[in-house]
Amino acid sequence: MSNARATHVTRRGILAAGGALGLGAVLAACGDDDSTSSGSADATKAITPGPWTFKDDRGTTVKLDTTPANIVAFTGVAAALYDYGIEVKGVFGPTTTADGKADVQAGDMDVSKLTVLGNEWGQFNIEKYAALTPDVLISTLFDDAGTLWYVPEESKDKILKLAPSVGISVYDRQMPVSLERMYALAESLGANVQATKVVEAKKKFETAAERLRAAAKARPEIKVLAGSASQDIFYVSGSNLSIDLEYFKALGVNIVEPSASALKASGGWFENLSWENVDKYPADIIIMDDRSATIQPADITEATWKKLPAVKAGQVIARSPEPIVSYAKCTPLLDNLAEAIENAKKVA
């Protein structure tokens, strides 16, 4: 069997981004880091004086006398803002791995200089948060109820009393919509969105999208399955709720869809299969959950996995079910899939 750790999984815990199991939320990487944030981002930031107003994806309008300076954010949000030149005072969510290196969701941030309020699902150091004197807390949304991702349910009331909050939806919409919203948020926080780095990143994303569209059109027979691996279960994601899979599908990618009845049990996100049944859905390419708490393809030992045609053909690539929502970070996701489709052998 694979070398994953067992854990008690709540319903909210298993409904993770991208329709795969929320192991990134419930399987810990490592503990808190008490250092402070002083990283550097390349894009220019110019705080504008005067009042700040932003309407988030919950329909909540936050109004402050000045542009927020002390920002605390979910790690993936902080990584996206960093790409626009906006740095945060503290983060919560997967930031460092067990060996102290940057988690995949930390992007280009220097994790050694971040104040980490909680690195695992359910962790959030309220005292440390208060000490940062936060102006605003920012996270993503994975439901219509306005639930702030990685803000613990049991302590959210205490946390949200300390500063206003902003939620950016990454649920049941296509990737460009979430990208536009994060872009707008970064601009409101003082990002110079006319900076060469930012302008070029957006153009590269648009070019990558057209490349993926062309690849999918040229190879409509290539079936792409989105998977996530845990010790006992293989999860096959449906495309209807995830910002990346919805967009891939809109661009013409032939996404393997679990049955409606199977998806119903997870609220539409995924179907869970035993390793004995991992071959239930034929696929030419498998895009695998790259979050650090899931089992990566090279570490899967099950014989049924190794016998899959896509695996034998070497047609397995990474997928980011919780993509860092910046143009710079989403572009490689499109290019990598386009390249895989362009070069794929029909094996399913």
Side-chain angles (χ1 to χ4, degrees):
M1 295 297 292
S2 302
N3 57 343
R5 290 159 288 176
T7 186
H8 173 69
V9 183
T10 64
R11 175 172 173 78
R12 184 173 175 230
I14 65 172
L15 296 180
L21 175 69
L23 294 175
V26 297
L27 295 181
C30 69
D32 293 351
D33 187 324
D34 291 324
S35 58
T36 57
S37 172
S38 60
S40 61
D42 293 334
T44 301
K45 179 183 177 182
I47 292 294
T48 55
W52 180 78
T53 300
F54 188 81
K55 185 175 182 180
D56 76 358
D57 291 338
R58 300 170 299 179
T60 300
T61 299
V62 178
K63 297 181 179 180
L64 297 174
D65 292 338
T66 58
T67 302
N70 294 345
I71 302 169
V72 173
F74 170 66
T75 303
V77 170
L81 293 176
Y82 187 90
D83 285 348
Y84 291 112
I86 305 297
E87 298 184 44
V88 305
K89 294 294 184 181
V91 297
F92 54 95
T95 307
T96 57
T97 58
D99 57 5
K101 295 181 180 179
D103 187 274
V104 67
Q105 296 190 59
D108 293 333
M109 296 188 295
D110 184 347
V111 296
S112 70
K113 298 179 180 179
L114 289 172
T115 297
V116 183
L117 305 178
N119 199 66
E120 302 177 17
W121 183 262
Q123 289 184 349
F124 194 110
N125 190 315
I126 300 176
E127 290 74 21
K128 191 183 293 187
Y129 177 55
L132 292 173
T133 60
D135 294 323
V136 67
L137 179 149
I138 309 172
S139 191
T140 47
L141 308 171
F142 283 100
D143 57 32
D144 288 326
T147 305
L148 293 168
W149 194 234
Y150 266 80
V151 174
E153 192 70 22
E154 61 275 12
S155 55
K156 68 176 183 179
D157 291 342
K158 293 180 180 180
I159 294 168
L160 298 181
K161 283 181 180 178
L162 296 174
S165 62
V166 168
I168 299 296
S169 180
V170 287
Y171 169 75
D172 197 17
R173 54 180 54 186
Q174 292 179 25
M175 184 182 284
V177 179
S178 294
L179 282 168
E180 289 165 7
R181 294 294 292 143
M182 192 68 74
Y183 177 96
L185 174 61
E187 183 177 21
S188 78
L189 292 170
N192 177 10
V193 295
Q194 299 305 315
T196 300
K197 174 183 176 180
V198 176
V199 173
E200 289 183 350
K202 191 172 183 180
K203 288 182 179 178
K204 288 179 180 178
F205 176 83
E206 293 166 351
T207 299
E210 289 309 309
R211 178 186 179 185
L212 181 54
R213 187 192 304 276
K217 184 177 181 180
R219 304 293 307 278
E221 77 281 6
I222 299 299
K223 296 181 179 181
V224 177
L225 182 146
S228 182
S230 69
Q231 179 173 322
D232 299 316
I233 300 174
F234 183 79
Y235 298 84
V236 179
S237 297
S239 67
N240 291 331
L241 300 178
S242 310
I243 62 170
D244 63 332
L245 299 184
E246 282 201 13
Y247 191 44
F248 297 164
K249 187 176 181 179
L251 292 174
V253 176
N254 185 357
I255 301 290
V256 173
E257 300 284 0
S259 65
S261 59
L263 289 172
K264 186 177 180 180
S266 68
W269 287 102
F270 55 80
E271 176 179 359
N272 52 326
L273 301 175
S274 66
W275 285 103
E276 289 75 14
N277 296 316
V278 72
D279 60 353
K280 179 177 179 180
Y281 297 106
D284 300 292
I285 296 171
I286 301 175
I287 53 177
M288 287 291 290
D289 189 338
D290 68 354
R291 289 173 294 183
S292 58
T294 63
I295 302 174
Q296 297 306 299
D299 298 320
I300 300 175
T301 60
E302 281 75 11
T304 50
W305 163 262
K306 294 181 178 181
K307 291 179 181 178
L308 292 176
V311 175
K312 292 172 68 175
Q315 295 178 171
V316 178
I317 65 171
R319 174 200 171 209
S320 298
E322 293 186 59
I324 295 171
V325 188
S326 72
Y327 291 105
K329 293 298 183 294
C330 286
T331 295
L333 308 182
L334 304 182
D335 276 331
N336 292 344
L337 181 55
E339 181 179 10
I341 294 173
E342 290 164 354
N343 298 326
K345 298 177 182 178
K346 180 62 183 175
V347 296

